PDB file of all heavy atoms in Angstrom:
ATOM      1  N   CYS A   1       0.817  -1.216   0.000  1.00 97.00           N
ATOM      2  CA  CYS A   1       0.000   0.000   0.000  1.00 97.00           C
ATOM      3  C   CYS A   1       0.849   1.262   0.000  1.00 97.00           C
ATOM      4  O   CYS A   1       0.301   2.378   0.035  1.00 97.00           O
ATOM      5  CB  CYS A   1      -0.946  -0.003   1.202  1.00 97.00           C
ATOM      6  SG  CYS A   1      -2.267  -1.231   1.100  1.00 97.00           S
ATOM      7  N   ALA A   2       2.162   1.113  -0.021  1.00 97.00           N
ATOM      8  CA  ALA A   2       3.064   2.263  -0.045  1.00 97.00           C
ATOM      9  C   ALA A   2       3.366   2.669  -1.480  1.00 97.00           C
ATOM     10  O   ALA A   2       3.593   1.821  -2.342  1.00 97.00           O
ATOM     11  CB  ALA A   2       4.361   1.937   0.682  1.00 97.00           C
ATOM     12  N   HIS A   3       3.351   3.978  -1.722  1.00 97.00           N
ATOM     13  CA  HIS A   3       3.834   4.526  -2.985  1.00 97.00           C
ATOM     14  C   HIS A   3       5.254   5.002  -2.707  1.00 97.00           C
ATOM     15  O   HIS A   3       5.487   6.114  -2.249  1.00 97.00           O
ATOM     16  CB  HIS A   3       2.940   5.681  -3.443  1.00 97.00           C
ATOM     17  CG  HIS A   3       3.317   6.237  -4.785  1.00 97.00           C
ATOM     18  ND1 HIS A   3       3.133   5.541  -5.951  1.00 97.00           N
ATOM     19  CD2 HIS A   3       3.883   7.427  -5.129  1.00 97.00           C
ATOM     20  CE1 HIS A   3       3.550   6.276  -6.968  1.00 97.00           C
ATOM     21  NE2 HIS A   3       4.020   7.407  -6.492  1.00 97.00           N
ATOM     22  N   GLU A   4       6.207   4.123  -2.960  1.00 97.00           N
ATOM     23  CA  GLU A   4       7.562   4.317  -2.456  1.00 97.00           C
ATOM     24  C   GLU A   4       8.236   5.560  -3.011  1.00 97.00           C
ATOM     25  O   GLU A   4       9.109   6.145  -2.354  1.00 97.00           O
ATOM     26  CB  GLU A   4       8.401   3.085  -2.782  1.00 97.00           C
ATOM     27  CG  GLU A   4       9.723   3.034  -2.058  1.00 97.00           C
ATOM     28  CD  GLU A   4      10.366   1.670  -2.182  1.00 97.00           C
ATOM     29  OE1 GLU A   4      10.631   1.242  -3.324  1.00 97.00           O
ATOM     30  OE2 GLU A   4      10.592   1.029  -1.142  1.00 97.00           O
ATOM     31  N   GLU A   5       7.854   5.990  -4.194  1.00 97.00           N
ATOM     32  CA  GLU A   5       8.495   7.155  -4.804  1.00 97.00           C
ATOM     33  C   GLU A   5       8.421   8.377  -3.892  1.00 97.00           C
ATOM     34  O   GLU A   5       9.361   9.168  -3.818  1.00 97.00           O
ATOM     35  CB  GLU A   5       7.839   7.458  -6.142  1.00 97.00           C
ATOM     36  CG  GLU A   5       8.497   8.612  -6.882  1.00 97.00           C
ATOM     37  CD  GLU A   5       7.862   8.860  -8.234  1.00 97.00           C
ATOM     38  OE1 GLU A   5       6.649   9.149  -8.288  1.00 97.00           O
ATOM     39  OE2 GLU A   5       8.581   8.757  -9.237  1.00 97.00           O
ATOM     40  N   THR A   6       7.290   8.543  -3.179  1.00 97.00           N
ATOM     41  CA  THR A   6       7.125   9.703  -2.301  1.00 97.00           C
ATOM     42  C   THR A   6       7.092   9.341  -0.826  1.00 97.00           C
ATOM     43  O   THR A   6       7.245  10.213   0.027  1.00 97.00           O
ATOM     44  CB  THR A   6       5.821  10.443  -2.625  1.00 97.00           C
ATOM     45  OG1 THR A   6       4.712   9.558  -2.394  1.00 97.00           O
ATOM     46  CG2 THR A   6       5.804  10.918  -4.069  1.00 97.00           C
ATOM     47  N   GLY A   7       6.850   8.067  -0.502  1.00 96.00           N
ATOM     48  CA  GLY A   7       6.715   7.639   0.888  1.00 96.00           C
ATOM     49  C   GLY A   7       5.287   7.539   1.362  1.00 96.00           C
ATOM     50  O   GLY A   7       5.031   7.084   2.479  1.00 96.00           O
ATOM     51  N   ALA A   8       4.320   7.959   0.545  1.00 97.00           N
ATOM     52  CA  ALA A   8       2.918   7.906   0.947  1.00 97.00           C
ATOM     53  C   ALA A   8       2.463   6.469   1.144  1.00 97.00           C
ATOM     54  O   ALA A   8       2.961   5.544   0.496  1.00 97.00           O
ATOM     55  CB  ALA A   8       2.051   8.583  -0.109  1.00 97.00           C
ATOM     56  N   ILE A   9       1.498   6.276   2.047  1.00 97.00           N
ATOM     57  CA  ILE A   9       0.851   4.986   2.238  1.00 97.00           C
ATOM     58  C   ILE A   9      -0.643   5.209   2.086  1.00 97.00           C
ATOM     59  O   ILE A   9      -1.237   6.018   2.811  1.00 97.00           O
ATOM     60  CB  ILE A   9       1.176   4.379   3.614  1.00 97.00           C
ATOM     61  CG1 ILE A   9       2.695   4.129   3.729  1.00 97.00           C
ATOM     62  CG2 ILE A   9       0.403   3.090   3.845  1.00 97.00           C
ATOM     63  CD1 ILE A   9       3.139   3.627   5.087  1.00 97.00           C
ATOM     64  N   VAL A  10      -1.262   4.525   1.137  1.00 97.00           N
ATOM     65  CA  VAL A  10      -2.669   4.767   0.842  1.00 97.00           C
ATOM     66  C   VAL A  10      -3.557   4.003   1.821  1.00 97.00           C
ATOM     67  O   VAL A  10      -3.141   3.004   2.422  1.00 97.00           O
ATOM     68  CB  VAL A  10      -3.022   4.384  -0.603  1.00 97.00           C
ATOM     69  CG1 VAL A  10      -2.217   5.233  -1.585  1.00 97.00           C
ATOM     70  CG2 VAL A  10      -2.796   2.900  -0.872  1.00 97.00           C
ATOM     71  N   ALA A  11      -4.806   4.474   1.960  1.00 97.00           N
ATOM     72  CA  ALA A  11      -5.745   3.830   2.875  1.00 97.00           C
ATOM     73  C   ALA A  11      -6.202   2.475   2.358  1.00 97.00           C
ATOM     74  O   ALA A  11      -6.554   1.595   3.146  1.00 97.00           O
ATOM     75  CB  ALA A  11      -6.952   4.744   3.113  1.00 97.00           C
ATOM     76  N   ALA A  12      -6.230   2.289   1.051  1.00 98.00           N
ATOM     77  CA  ALA A  12      -6.590   1.004   0.436  1.00 98.00           C
ATOM     78  C   ALA A  12      -6.195   1.057  -1.027  1.00 98.00           C
ATOM     79  O   ALA A  12      -5.925   2.132  -1.577  1.00 98.00           O
ATOM     80  CB  ALA A  12      -8.085   0.711   0.585  1.00 98.00           C
ATOM     81  N   LEU A  13      -6.204  -0.096  -1.677  1.00 98.00           N
ATOM     82  CA  LEU A  13      -5.840  -0.166  -3.089  1.00 98.00           C
ATOM     83  C   LEU A  13      -7.036   0.067  -4.011  1.00 98.00           C
ATOM     84  O   LEU A  13      -6.856   0.137  -5.231  1.00 98.00           O
ATOM     85  CB  LEU A  13      -5.221  -1.538  -3.404  1.00 98.00           C
ATOM     86  CG  LEU A  13      -3.897  -1.858  -2.704  1.00 98.00           C
ATOM     87  CD1 LEU A  13      -3.430  -3.265  -3.081  1.00 98.00           C
ATOM     88  CD2 LEU A  13      -2.819  -0.832  -3.036  1.00 98.00           C
ATOM     89  N   THR A  14      -8.239   0.179  -3.451  1.00 98.00           N
ATOM     90  CA  THR A  14      -9.441   0.248  -4.276  1.00 98.00           C
ATOM     91  C   THR A  14     -10.245   1.510  -4.015  1.00 98.00           C
ATOM     92  O   THR A  14     -10.000   2.250  -3.059  1.00 98.00           O
ATOM     93  CB  THR A  14     -10.355  -0.956  -4.009  1.00 98.00           C
ATOM     94  OG1 THR A  14     -10.724  -0.957  -2.620  1.00 98.00           O
ATOM     95  CG2 THR A  14      -9.674  -2.260  -4.360  1.00 98.00           C
ATOM     96  N   THR A  15     -11.221   1.711  -4.869  1.00 98.00           N
ATOM     97  CA  THR A  15     -12.229   2.756  -4.675  1.00 98.00           C
ATOM     98  C   THR A  15     -13.607   2.132  -4.764  1.00 98.00           C
ATOM     99  O   THR A  15     -13.816   1.133  -5.458  1.00 98.00           O
ATOM    100  CB  THR A  15     -12.111   3.867  -5.738  1.00 98.00           C
ATOM    101  OG1 THR A  15     -13.175   4.808  -5.544  1.00 98.00           O
ATOM    102  CG2 THR A  15     -12.224   3.330  -7.152  1.00 98.00           C
ATOM    103  N   SER A  16     -14.542   2.713  -4.019  1.00 98.00           N
ATOM    104  CA  SER A  16     -15.983   2.505  -4.225  1.00 98.00           C
ATOM    105  C   SER A  16     -16.500   1.116  -3.919  1.00 98.00           C
ATOM    106  O   SER A  16     -17.577   0.744  -4.391  1.00 98.00           O
ATOM    107  CB  SER A  16     -16.366   2.892  -5.663  1.00 98.00           C
ATOM    108  OG  SER A  16     -16.022   4.237  -5.920  1.00 98.00           O
ATOM    109  N   ILE A  17     -15.785   0.329  -3.099  1.00 97.00           N
ATOM    110  CA  ILE A  17     -16.399  -0.879  -2.555  1.00 97.00           C
ATOM    111  C   ILE A  17     -17.314  -0.411  -1.425  1.00 97.00           C
ATOM    112  O   ILE A  17     -16.851   0.185  -0.464  1.00 97.00           O
ATOM    113  CB  ILE A  17     -15.360  -1.871  -2.014  1.00 97.00           C
ATOM    114  CG1 ILE A  17     -14.265  -2.143  -3.050  1.00 97.00           C
ATOM    115  CG2 ILE A  17     -16.045  -3.158  -1.587  1.00 97.00           C
ATOM    116  CD1 ILE A  17     -14.745  -2.790  -4.313  1.00 97.00           C
ATOM    117  N   PRO A  18     -18.624  -0.627  -1.508  1.00 96.00           N
ATOM    118  CA  PRO A  18     -19.542  -0.030  -0.526  1.00 96.00           C
ATOM    119  C   PRO A  18     -19.358  -0.583   0.877  1.00 96.00           C
ATOM    120  O   PRO A  18     -18.914  -1.726   1.061  1.00 96.00           O
ATOM    121  CB  PRO A  18     -20.933  -0.376  -1.084  1.00 96.00           C
ATOM    122  CG  PRO A  18     -20.710  -1.549  -1.976  1.00 96.00           C
ATOM    123  CD  PRO A  18     -19.335  -1.396  -2.542  1.00 96.00           C
ATOM    124  N   GLU A  19     -19.724   0.236   1.856  1.00 95.00           N
ATOM    125  CA  GLU A  19     -19.633  -0.187   3.249  1.00 95.00           C
ATOM    126  C   GLU A  19     -20.679  -1.242   3.585  1.00 95.00           C
ATOM    127  O   GLU A  19     -20.514  -2.010   4.538  1.00 95.00           O
ATOM    128  CB  GLU A  19     -19.772   1.018   4.180  1.00 95.00           C
ATOM    129  CG  GLU A  19     -18.608   1.998   4.071  1.00 95.00           C
ATOM    130  CD  GLU A  19     -18.735   3.160   5.033  1.00 95.00           C
ATOM    131  OE1 GLU A  19     -19.563   3.080   5.973  1.00 95.00           O
ATOM    132  OE2 GLU A  19     -18.019   4.161   4.856  1.00 95.00           O
ATOM    133  N   HIS A  20     -21.774  -1.256   2.872  1.00 93.00           N
ATOM    134  CA  HIS A  20     -22.747  -2.340   2.941  1.00 93.00           C
ATOM    135  C   HIS A  20     -23.611  -2.267   1.695  1.00 93.00           C
ATOM    136  O   HIS A  20     -23.523  -1.313   0.918  1.00 93.00           O
ATOM    137  CB  HIS A  20     -23.593  -2.299   4.228  1.00 93.00           C
ATOM    138  CG  HIS A  20     -24.364  -1.028   4.441  1.00 93.00           C
ATOM    139  ND1 HIS A  20     -25.578  -0.784   3.837  1.00 93.00           N
ATOM    140  CD2 HIS A  20     -24.103   0.059   5.205  1.00 93.00           C
ATOM    141  CE1 HIS A  20     -26.028   0.404   4.222  1.00 93.00           C
ATOM    142  NE2 HIS A  20     -25.157   0.940   5.047  1.00 93.00           N
ATOM    143  N   ALA A  21     -24.435  -3.260   1.476  1.00 92.00           N
ATOM    144  CA  ALA A  21     -25.188  -3.386   0.228  1.00 92.00           C
ATOM    145  C   ALA A  21     -26.064  -2.158  -0.012  1.00 92.00           C
ATOM    146  O   ALA A  21     -26.804  -1.721   0.889  1.00 92.00           O
ATOM    147  CB  ALA A  21     -26.047  -4.648   0.255  1.00 92.00           C
ATOM    148  N   GLU A  22     -25.943  -1.615  -1.237  1.00 89.00           N
ATOM    149  CA  GLU A  22     -26.771  -0.490  -1.687  1.00 89.00           C
ATOM    150  C   GLU A  22     -26.722   0.692  -0.724  1.00 89.00           C
ATOM    151  O   GLU A  22     -27.704   1.391  -0.522  1.00 89.00           O
ATOM    152  CB  GLU A  22     -28.233  -0.946  -1.864  1.00 89.00           C
ATOM    153  CG  GLU A  22     -28.424  -2.146  -2.776  1.00 89.00           C
ATOM    154  CD  GLU A  22     -28.035  -1.867  -4.226  1.00 89.00           C
ATOM    155  OE1 GLU A  22     -27.724  -0.717  -4.559  1.00 89.00           O
ATOM    156  OE2 GLU A  22     -28.047  -2.835  -5.020  1.00 89.00           O
ATOM    157  N   SER A  23     -25.561   0.933  -0.121  1.00 89.00           N
ATOM    158  CA  SER A  23     -25.464   1.969   0.911  1.00 89.00           C
ATOM    159  C   SER A  23     -25.192   3.351   0.357  1.00 89.00           C
ATOM    160  O   SER A  23     -25.476   4.353   1.013  1.00 89.00           O
ATOM    161  CB  SER A  23     -24.342   1.606   1.896  1.00 89.00           C
ATOM    162  OG  SER A  23     -23.081   1.637   1.243  1.00 89.00           O
ATOM    163  N   GLY A  24     -24.598   3.435  -0.840  1.00 90.00           N
ATOM    164  CA  GLY A  24     -24.127   4.718  -1.336  1.00 90.00           C
ATOM    165  C   GLY A  24     -22.869   5.191  -0.662  1.00 90.00           C
ATOM    166  O   GLY A  24     -22.286   6.215  -1.051  1.00 90.00           O
ATOM    167  N   ARG A  25     -22.413   4.473   0.349  1.00 91.00           N
ATOM    168  CA  ARG A  25     -21.166   4.820   1.066  1.00 91.00           C
ATOM    169  C   ARG A  25     -19.993   4.219   0.299  1.00 91.00           C
ATOM    170  O   ARG A  25     -19.359   3.260   0.739  1.00 91.00           O
ATOM    171  CB  ARG A  25     -21.200   4.277   2.491  1.00 91.00           C
ATOM    172  CG  ARG A  25     -22.361   4.755   3.351  1.00 91.00           C
ATOM    173  CD  ARG A  25     -22.390   3.951   4.648  1.00 91.00           C
ATOM    174  NE  ARG A  25     -23.544   4.199   5.460  1.00 91.00           N
ATOM    175  CZ  ARG A  25     -23.612   5.031   6.495  1.00 91.00           C
ATOM    176  NH1 ARG A  25     -22.533   5.727   6.825  1.00 91.00           N
ATOM    177  NH2 ARG A  25     -24.716   5.178   7.191  1.00 91.00           N
ATOM    178  N   ASN A  26     -19.746   4.759  -0.858  1.00 95.00           N
ATOM    179  CA  ASN A  26     -18.722   4.244  -1.765  1.00 95.00           C
ATOM    180  C   ASN A  26     -17.652   5.316  -1.917  1.00 95.00           C
ATOM    181  O   ASN A  26     -17.900   6.341  -2.568  1.00 95.00           O
ATOM    182  CB  ASN A  26     -19.319   3.951  -3.148  1.00 95.00           C
ATOM    183  CG  ASN A  26     -20.455   2.949  -3.125  1.00 95.00           C
ATOM    184  OD1 ASN A  26     -21.009   2.629  -2.080  1.00 95.00           O
ATOM    185  ND2 ASN A  26     -20.820   2.451  -4.285  1.00 95.00           N
ATOM    186  N   TRP A  27     -16.489   5.087  -1.347  1.00 96.00           N
ATOM    187  CA  TRP A  27     -15.470   6.139  -1.302  1.00 96.00           C
ATOM    188  C   TRP A  27     -14.203   5.687  -2.010  1.00 96.00           C
ATOM    189  O   TRP A  27     -13.885   4.501  -2.081  1.00 96.00           O
ATOM    190  CB  TRP A  27     -15.155   6.501   0.155  1.00 96.00           C
ATOM    191  CG  TRP A  27     -16.361   6.636   1.018  1.00 96.00           C
ATOM    192  CD1 TRP A  27     -16.677   5.891   2.131  1.00 96.00           C
ATOM    193  CD2 TRP A  27     -17.447   7.554   0.859  1.00 96.00           C
ATOM    194  NE1 TRP A  27     -17.866   6.294   2.654  1.00 96.00           N
ATOM    195  CE2 TRP A  27     -18.376   7.320   1.899  1.00 96.00           C
ATOM    196  CE3 TRP A  27     -17.734   8.555  -0.073  1.00 96.00           C
ATOM    197  CZ2 TRP A  27     -19.553   8.034   2.038  1.00 96.00           C
ATOM    198  CZ3 TRP A  27     -18.911   9.276   0.054  1.00 96.00           C
ATOM    199  CH2 TRP A  27     -19.798   9.014   1.098  1.00 96.00           C
ATOM    200  N   ASP A  28     -13.452   6.666  -2.478  1.00 98.00           N
ATOM    201  CA  ASP A  28     -12.162   6.410  -3.116  1.00 98.00           C
ATOM    202  C   ASP A  28     -11.083   6.497  -2.043  1.00 98.00           C
ATOM    203  O   ASP A  28     -10.816   7.566  -1.488  1.00 98.00           O
ATOM    204  CB  ASP A  28     -11.916   7.446  -4.224  1.00 98.00           C
ATOM    205  CG  ASP A  28     -10.735   7.076  -5.113  1.00 98.00           C
ATOM    206  OD1 ASP A  28      -9.979   6.169  -4.751  1.00 98.00           O
ATOM    207  OD2 ASP A  28     -10.586   7.711  -6.183  1.00 98.00           O
ATOM    208  N   TYR A  29     -10.446   5.366  -1.733  1.00 97.00           N
ATOM    209  CA  TYR A  29      -9.465   5.295  -0.652  1.00 97.00           C
ATOM    210  C   TYR A  29      -8.031   5.178  -1.160  1.00 97.00           C
ATOM    211  O   TYR A  29      -7.132   4.830  -0.399  1.00 97.00           O
ATOM    212  CB  TYR A  29      -9.769   4.090   0.246  1.00 97.00           C
ATOM    213  CG  TYR A  29     -10.788   4.373   1.331  1.00 97.00           C
ATOM    214  CD1 TYR A  29     -11.542   5.538   1.335  1.00 97.00           C
ATOM    215  CD2 TYR A  29     -11.000   3.466   2.352  1.00 97.00           C
ATOM    216  CE1 TYR A  29     -12.467   5.785   2.320  1.00 97.00           C
ATOM    217  CE2 TYR A  29     -11.926   3.704   3.357  1.00 97.00           C
ATOM    218  CZ  TYR A  29     -12.657   4.869   3.333  1.00 97.00           C
ATOM    219  OH  TYR A  29     -13.576   5.111   4.316  1.00 97.00           O
ATOM    220  N   ARG A  30      -7.778   5.525  -2.402  1.00 98.00           N
ATOM    221  CA  ARG A  30      -6.440   5.352  -2.973  1.00 98.00           C
ATOM    222  C   ARG A  30      -5.560   6.576  -2.725  1.00 98.00           C
ATOM    223  O   ARG A  30      -4.745   6.950  -3.564  1.00 98.00           O
ATOM    224  CB  ARG A  30      -6.560   5.062  -4.469  1.00 98.00           C
ATOM    225  CG  ARG A  30      -7.390   3.811  -4.796  1.00 98.00           C
ATOM    226  CD  ARG A  30      -7.731   3.724  -6.264  1.00 98.00           C
ATOM    227  NE  ARG A  30      -8.406   4.930  -6.707  1.00 98.00           N
ATOM    228  CZ  ARG A  30      -8.298   5.441  -7.939  1.00 98.00           C
ATOM    229  NH1 ARG A  30      -7.521   4.861  -8.832  1.00 98.00           N
ATOM    230  NH2 ARG A  30      -8.957   6.526  -8.260  1.00 98.00           N
ATOM    231  N   TYR A  31      -5.712   7.167  -1.539  1.00 97.00           N
ATOM    232  CA  TYR A  31      -4.975   8.373  -1.169  1.00 97.00           C
ATOM    233  C   TYR A  31      -4.394   8.188   0.226  1.00 97.00           C
ATOM    234  O   TYR A  31      -4.654   7.186   0.900  1.00 97.00           O
ATOM    235  CB  TYR A  31      -5.896   9.593  -1.225  1.00 97.00           C
ATOM    236  CG  TYR A  31      -6.622   9.713  -2.545  1.00 97.00           C
ATOM    237  CD1 TYR A  31      -8.001   9.525  -2.634  1.00 97.00           C
ATOM    238  CD2 TYR A  31      -5.923   9.967  -3.727  1.00 97.00           C
ATOM    239  CE1 TYR A  31      -8.665   9.597  -3.847  1.00 97.00           C
ATOM    240  CE2 TYR A  31      -6.578  10.034  -4.948  1.00 97.00           C
ATOM    241  CZ  TYR A  31      -7.950   9.851  -5.002  1.00 97.00           C
ATOM    242  OH  TYR A  31      -8.588   9.905  -6.211  1.00 97.00           O
ATOM    243  N   CYS A  32      -3.625   9.155   0.654  1.00 97.00           N
ATOM    244  CA  CYS A  32      -2.944   9.075   1.948  1.00 97.00           C
ATOM    245  C   CYS A  32      -3.694   9.904   2.978  1.00 97.00           C
ATOM    246  O   CYS A  32      -3.720  11.140   2.888  1.00 97.00           O
ATOM    247  CB  CYS A  32      -1.500   9.568   1.814  1.00 97.00           C
ATOM    248  SG  CYS A  32      -0.516   9.328   3.304  1.00 97.00           S
ATOM    249  N   TRP A  33      -4.321   9.230   3.931  1.00 94.00           N
ATOM    250  CA  TRP A  33      -5.072   9.893   5.004  1.00 94.00           C
ATOM    251  C   TRP A  33      -4.153  10.151   6.188  1.00 94.00           C
ATOM    252  O   TRP A  33      -3.506   9.227   6.695  1.00 94.00           O
ATOM    253  CB  TRP A  33      -6.227   9.018   5.463  1.00 94.00           C
ATOM    254  CG  TRP A  33      -7.550   9.385   4.892  1.00 94.00           C
ATOM    255  CD1 TRP A  33      -8.530  10.129   5.487  1.00 94.00           C
ATOM    256  CD2 TRP A  33      -8.066   9.026   3.602  1.00 94.00           C
ATOM    257  NE1 TRP A  33      -9.620  10.254   4.638  1.00 94.00           N
ATOM    258  CE2 TRP A  33      -9.359   9.580   3.485  1.00 94.00           C
ATOM    259  CE3 TRP A  33      -7.553   8.296   2.534  1.00 94.00           C
ATOM    260  CZ2 TRP A  33     -10.140   9.427   2.349  1.00 94.00           C
ATOM    261  CZ3 TRP A  33      -8.319   8.129   1.403  1.00 94.00           C
ATOM    262  CH2 TRP A  33      -9.596   8.694   1.318  1.00 94.00           C
ATOM    263  N   LEU A  34      -4.152  11.381   6.673  1.00 92.00           N
ATOM    264  CA  LEU A  34      -3.319  11.689   7.825  1.00 92.00           C
ATOM    265  C   LEU A  34      -3.885  11.095   9.108  1.00 92.00           C
ATOM    266  O   LEU A  34      -3.147  10.897  10.075  1.00 92.00           O
ATOM    267  CB  LEU A  34      -3.154  13.205   7.960  1.00 92.00           C
ATOM    268  CG  LEU A  34      -2.422  13.874   6.793  1.00 92.00           C
ATOM    269  CD1 LEU A  34      -2.122  15.318   7.128  1.00 92.00           C
ATOM    270  CD2 LEU A  34      -1.142  13.145   6.434  1.00 92.00           C
ATOM    271  N   ARG A  35      -5.196  10.782   9.138  1.00 87.00           N
ATOM    272  CA  ARG A  35      -5.754  10.152  10.342  1.00 87.00           C
ATOM    273  C   ARG A  35      -5.150   8.764  10.562  1.00 87.00           C
ATOM    274  O   ARG A  35      -5.239   8.210  11.659  1.00 87.00           O
ATOM    275  CB  ARG A  35      -7.279  10.032  10.215  1.00 87.00           C
ATOM    276  CG  ARG A  35      -7.727   8.993   9.203  1.00 87.00           C
ATOM    277  CD  ARG A  35      -9.230   8.878   9.108  1.00 87.00           C
ATOM    278  NE  ARG A  35      -9.601   7.813   8.181  1.00 87.00           N
ATOM    279  CZ  ARG A  35     -10.836   7.595   7.750  1.00 87.00           C
ATOM    280  NH1 ARG A  35     -11.807   8.388   8.146  1.00 87.00           N
ATOM    281  NH2 ARG A  35     -11.106   6.617   6.923  1.00 87.00           N
ATOM    282  N   ASP A  36      -4.555   8.180   9.513  1.00 89.00           N
ATOM    283  CA  ASP A  36      -3.913   6.872   9.632  1.00 89.00           C
ATOM    284  C   ASP A  36      -2.512   6.971  10.218  1.00 89.00           C
ATOM    285  O   ASP A  36      -1.953   5.956  10.651  1.00 89.00           O
ATOM    286  CB  ASP A  36      -3.785   6.207   8.255  1.00 89.00           C
ATOM    287  CG  ASP A  36      -5.120   5.959   7.570  1.00 89.00           C
ATOM    288  OD1 ASP A  36      -6.163   6.311   8.146  1.00 89.00           O
ATOM    289  OD2 ASP A  36      -5.108   5.437   6.444  1.00 89.00           O
ATOM    290  N   ALA A  37      -1.930   8.179  10.214  1.00 90.00           N
ATOM    291  CA  ALA A  37      -0.481   8.312  10.397  1.00 90.00           C
ATOM    292  C   ALA A  37       0.013   7.719  11.706  1.00 90.00           C
ATOM    293  O   ALA A  37       0.971   6.927  11.725  1.00 90.00           O
ATOM    294  CB  ALA A  37      -0.084   9.784  10.301  1.00 90.00           C
ATOM    295  N   TYR A  38      -0.606   8.080  12.819  1.00 91.00           N
ATOM    296  CA  TYR A  38      -0.146   7.616  14.124  1.00 91.00           C
ATOM    297  C   TYR A  38      -0.170   6.094  14.203  1.00 91.00           C
ATOM    298  O   TYR A  38       0.765   5.457  14.710  1.00 91.00           O
ATOM    299  CB  TYR A  38      -1.021   8.242  15.201  1.00 91.00           C
ATOM    300  CG  TYR A  38      -0.850   7.667  16.582  1.00 91.00           C
ATOM    301  CD1 TYR A  38       0.391   7.667  17.212  1.00 91.00           C
ATOM    302  CD2 TYR A  38      -1.939   7.129  17.267  1.00 91.00           C
ATOM    303  CE1 TYR A  38       0.537   7.147  18.487  1.00 91.00           C
ATOM    304  CE2 TYR A  38      -1.801   6.618  18.541  1.00 91.00           C
ATOM    305  CZ  TYR A  38      -0.562   6.618  19.146  1.00 91.00           C
ATOM    306  OH  TYR A  38      -0.415   6.099  20.412  1.00 91.00           O
TER     307      TYR A  38
END
């Protein structure tokens, strides 16, 4: 999950897998969240 070129670590490798069926809670997690850092 690390993008070694910059050191970033993404929250997940995918986008838009819903939190539950037909929830609309479909998010793109292929970015680096600072809430994960600690």
